[in-house]
Amino acid sequence: MNQSGQMGQKWQLLAYVAMGLLLHALLYTTYVGSVAPAHRVVEVDAEWFAGDAPIRVLALGGSHTRSAIDPDLMPDSLNLGVGGEHYLKTLYRIRHLLREHDRAVSCVLLPLDAASLSSWKTDDFTPEFVWGRYVDFIAVGRIQHKPFAYARMWTKARLFPYAGELETVRMMRSGTKAFKDEEQLSRLAASNQLDVAARSERRSGRDAAQEHLGGYNHADPALSWALREIVRTFRERGTRVVLVSYPMTAGYSNTARRLGADMGPQKALVAELAQAGAVEHLDFETLFHEKPEKFYDGDHLSKPGREHFSRLLRQSLLSLGIK
């Protein structure tokens, strides 16, 4: 091959590289600029950054927290629950929020149920670009003994956030903004629209428990560690920590027990933390077992159920001296 032919191939290769880099830049900026900021956790975080006033009660957790607590019925409270959030996510997210915009918190509520320590979603941090803003993937990889898997998450979060995210874009375009985190339900709860979805779309308590617990480790050590760290973070700040077992349907509770999730690890952890004076526990799991009308589906409260429970929760906190 003559010299001119070799030069032509080099320029052609450079053109392909330039086109690839341009496509990468386009996909990166489009994803980061449009999809990522619309994730529910980013929207909820805005409620934290919006004020400086002390918070009497701060509720953290996943969709059970989001759908159970109406902050309008609990003065000076804030519900930062986001669907799909487990203890590891909560730990890194609340540390980020406190570091970026410190606010005084008198009491924090953390969820405690049969699935709280389940390995069901322990390794789920999608979309990685969003959760990578909070989570130290390399540190979690060491804790989980999965350094390479979490290194891939780190790489995707920082270099290729759009990779494998067609489902995210589909959800974004459909209006659910779910991003694989059960966000449709959380958004409905936040907008008081929990009862508008068709009954056929709602899963039973049995199905929900099977999804959360079937075939998974019910006492994931990484989640136990994360809960202890969350408690320690707040206790060092002088914040009271209350673990709350939110109401579940009888179908959910019965299926959880059948699957071997008897709350044994959770009870042992509560006893350990309570003995050290670190936490208190309010158990409402069976509160509405005989009142299915209080639920939107098998493990989330409806609007009437949320209002009823929020009033009861407020009275229970008052009885603990949390005013």
Side-chain angles (χ1 to χ4, degrees):
M1 182 179 296
N2 58 35
Q3 188 175 4
S4 62
Q6 291 177 340
M7 288 297 296
Q9 286 187 337
K10 289 181 181 180
W11 281 111
Q12 188 177 39
L13 178 61
L14 288 173
Y16 284 138
V17 171
M19 289 175 61
L21 290 174
L22 181 61
L23 179 61
H24 166 71
L26 178 63
L27 291 172
Y28 185 97
T29 55
T30 300
Y31 184 90
V32 170
S34 60
V35 178
H39 192 278
R40 182 60 176 159
V41 71
V42 178
E43 295 179 347
V44 173
D45 282 356
E47 300 176 34
W48 173 271
F49 291 113
D52 297 298
I55 299 169
R56 187 178 69 89
V57 176
L58 175 64
L60 302 176
S63 58
H64 294 163
T65 297
R66 192 72 192 173
S67 65
I69 296 177
D70 186 344
D72 291 337
L73 298 176
M74 299 178 64
D76 303 318
S77 67
L78 190 60
N79 184 348
L80 294 186
V82 173
E85 182 166 305
H86 48 66
Y87 289 143
L88 277 167
K89 288 180 177 178
T90 298
L91 170 64
Y92 284 98
R93 180 181 170 213
I94 195 58
R95 284 180 172 175
H96 170 84
L97 294 179
L98 290 170
R99 183 169 57 250
E100 295 297 318
H101 185 67
D102 198 0
R103 296 182 67 175
V105 178
S106 298
C107 170
V108 64
L109 307 181
L110 300 171
L112 187 78
D113 56 46
S116 292
L117 299 179
S118 170
S119 61
W120 170 50
K121 280 193 172 183
T122 307
D123 295 318
D124 186 356
F125 292 93
T126 53
E128 291 84 353
F129 177 80
V130 172
W131 288 105
R133 295 168 63 243
Y134 316 101
V135 179
D136 184 342
F137 286 133
I138 303 303
V140 177
R142 290 195 296 267
I143 293 167
Q144 291 285 66
H145 305 292
K146 300 175 181 178
F148 296 110
Y150 279 84
R152 285 195 297 271
M153 292 185 196
W154 184 94
T155 301
K156 180 183 175 185
R158 284 158 178 77
L159 300 179
F160 306 101
Y162 54 82
E165 292 295 305
L166 285 178
E167 180 67 9
T168 294
V169 175
R170 185 193 68 77
M171 290 180 177
M172 173 73 178
R173 295 184 64 183
S174 69
T176 63
K177 297 186 182 180
F179 303 121
K180 308 173 186 175
D181 277 349
E182 301 179 351
E183 268 316 307
Q184 185 175 17
L185 183 60
S186 287
R187 300 181 70 80
L188 291 172
S191 61
N192 288 332
Q193 297 294 314
L194 269 179
D195 299 306
V196 301
R199 176 70 65 176
S200 61
E201 296 177 4
R202 309 178 192 181
R203 63 181 177 184
S204 67
R206 180 184 62 185
D207 290 343
Q210 184 67 46
E211 180 181 357
H212 296 167
L213 298 161
Y216 296 106
N217 180 357
H218 301 158
D220 190 297
L223 296 180
S224 297
W225 169 83
L227 177 57
R228 288 187 176 90
E229 287 297 298
I230 297 168
V231 171
R232 183 177 66 82
T233 296
F234 279 106
R235 292 300 294 167
E236 288 178 351
R237 296 170 54 87
T239 300
R240 291 181 68 174
V241 180
V242 179
L243 301 175
V244 181
S245 297
Y246 292 107
M248 293 289 169
T249 59
Y252 188 99
S253 297
N254 293 337
T255 302
R257 304 300 183 269
R258 180 177 59 79
L259 292 171
D262 59 359
M263 292 285 287
Q266 288 89 332
K267 291 176 182 177
L269 190 53
V270 169
E272 171 196 326
L273 295 170
Q275 186 175 18
V279 303
E280 294 158 286
H281 180 213
L282 294 174
D283 188 354
F284 298 101
E285 180 185 353
T286 63
L287 178 66
F288 296 145
H289 270 191
E290 304 301 323
K291 298 180 179 180
E293 70 277 8
K294 298 294 185 181
F295 292 88
Y296 163 80
D297 63 7
D299 60 326
H300 300 96
L301 293 177
S302 64
K303 185 175 183 292
R306 184 169 68 259
E307 292 174 348
H308 186 170
F309 174 71
S310 295
R311 292 188 178 95
L312 289 175
L313 177 60
R314 182 184 179 190
Q315 292 302 313
S316 296
L317 292 175
L318 288 172
S319 69
L320 293 177
I322 300 170
K323 302 178 180 180

